[in-house]
């Protein structure tokens, strides 16, 4: 158990809908990362937050947004969902977000868009 | 831009034999290098990392990796494979200098250890 929690574990929804994925980092970790894992794209970095502020952005679509709250938990919002958004979404956390810090991954949320 | 290649989609090895999972990288400047393992229906688990210093890095579960700067490689090794090592292995790189750059993961290598 990494100490990172994600809810829900599974989410099934329809095209055009909006969903929110939630992540709680390990106790004491200030940095949260979001990743998308799909069969054809592999593991793609979406966005990083550090202590409430956006630090780095990867291949995140404009339909997706995220935030980190004062209690350090984070939410990833996916809107106008398309079939291609079906994937595993992982949250990870690390202490300071420094480049040499390893990240600890949550169990993921499996999103299915029908 | 940084990139990671894992040239083998699949590696098969017999239990008790040594295993190697290959990784090569491209990054401007000095790299931080990582190996992660993913078991079915689980998140990624950190195995080991190279930051600086000794080129041979030891990690969890008896795994080790050798950093080779001239060949830009960071191959994962284990002297004696176990069936329980069967999983998906990811190599990742992050550049040393820039906080704005984040992890880039390789495509993954599926390791099957046969009893």
């Amino acid at each position: 158990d990494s100490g990172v929690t994600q809810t829900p574990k599974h989410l099934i929804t329809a095209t055009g809908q909006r969903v929110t994925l939630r992540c709680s980092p390990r106790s004491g970790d200030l940095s949260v990362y979001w990743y998308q894992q799909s069969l054809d794209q592999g593991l793609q970095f979406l966005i990083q937050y550090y202590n409430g502020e956006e630090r780095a952005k990867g291949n995140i679509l404009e339909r997706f947004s995220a935030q980190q709250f004062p209690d350090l938990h984070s939410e990833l919002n996916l809107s106008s969902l398309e079939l291609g958004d079906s994937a595993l979404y992982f949250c990870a956390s690390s202490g300071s977000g420094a480049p040499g810090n390893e990240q600890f991954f949550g169990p993921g949320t499996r999103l299915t868009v029908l | 831009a940084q990139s990671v290649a894992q040239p083998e989609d699949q590696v098969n090895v017999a239990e008790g034999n040594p295993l190697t999972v290959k990784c090569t990288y491209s990054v401007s400047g000095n790299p931080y290098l990582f190996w992660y393992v993913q078991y079915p229906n689980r998140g990624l688990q950190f195995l080991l990392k190279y930051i600086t210093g000794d080129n041979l890095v030891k990690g969890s579960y008896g795994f080790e990796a050798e950093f080779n700067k001239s060949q830009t490689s960071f191959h994962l090794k284990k002297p004696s494979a176990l069936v329980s090592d069967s999983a998906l292995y990811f190599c990742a790189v992050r550049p040393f200098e820039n906080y704005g750059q984040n992890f880039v993961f390789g495509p993954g290598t599926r390791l099957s250890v046969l009893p």
Side-chain angles (χ1 to χ4, degrees), chain B:
Chain B
Q2 64 243 37
S3 64
V4 177
Q6 293 179 243
E8 299 154 319
D9 291 336
Q10 173 98 27
V11 170
N12 297 321
V13 63
E15 187 174 29
N17 282 3
L19 70 87
T20 299
V21 182
K22 295 179 181 176
C23 170
T24 58
Y25 66 89
S26 172
V27 68
S28 54
N30 294 312
Y32 290 118
L33 294 157
F34 302 79
W35 275 102
Y36 285 82
V37 60
Q38 185 179 26
Y39 297 100
N41 301 312
R42 302 281 294 275
L44 277 69
Q45 293 179 34
F46 169 74
L47 277 180
L48 51 79
K49 67 181 178 182
Y50 171 80
I51 303 298
T52 188
D54 194 348
N55 289 343
L56 185 63
V57 178
K58 294 190 183 298
S60 307
Y61 313 119
F63 284 94
E64 57 190 30
E66 186 160 15
F67 170 62
N68 187 317
K69 188 170 184 176
S70 62
Q71 297 187 3
T72 61
S73 68
F74 189 55
H75 301 331
L76 181 71
K77 301 181 181 187
K78 187 173 182 181
S80 178
L82 300 172
V83 172
S84 57
D85 293 330
S86 299
L88 189 56
Y89 289 80
F90 291 94
C91 181
V93 67
R94 199 174 187 187
F96 180 88
E97 286 83 9
N98 190 343
Y99 267 66
Q101 299 288 331
N102 237 294
F103 274 69
V104 172
F105 283 84
T109 297
R110 189 164 298 281
L111 174 67
S112 290
V113 181
L114 309 171

Side-chain angles (χ1 to χ4, degrees), chain A residues 21 23 25 28-35 45-58 60-61 64-77 90-98 101 103, chain B residues 94 99-100 102:
Chain A
L21 313 183
C23 167
D29 282 358
L30 299 177
S31 206
V32 168
Y33 308 77
W34 286 97
Y35 292 88
F45 165 69
L46 295 179
I47 197 163
Q48 177 198 0
Y49 279 83
Y50 175 75
N51 205 20
E53 297 201 0
E54 183 184 305
R55 174 164 275 186
K57 224 169 184 175
I60 188 165
L61 299 171
F64 296 180
S65 65
Q67 56 184 19
Q68 186 180 27
F69 295 87
D71 68 352
L72 301 177
H73 92 271
S74 178
E75 293 181 356
L76 179 66
N77 299 297
F90 287 108
C91 167
S93 74
S94 69
S96 69
N101 289 156
Q103 297 176 11
Chain B
R94 199 174 187 187
Y99 267 66
N102 237 294

Side-chain angles (χ1 to χ4, degrees), chain A residues 15 36 38 40 61 63-64 81-87 89 113:
Chain A
T15 54
Q36 179 193 60
S38 60
D40 55 344
L61 299 171
R63 300 184 285 108
F64 296 180
L81 284 168
E82 301 175 0
L83 295 177
D85 297 327
S86 296
Y89 291 84
V113 182

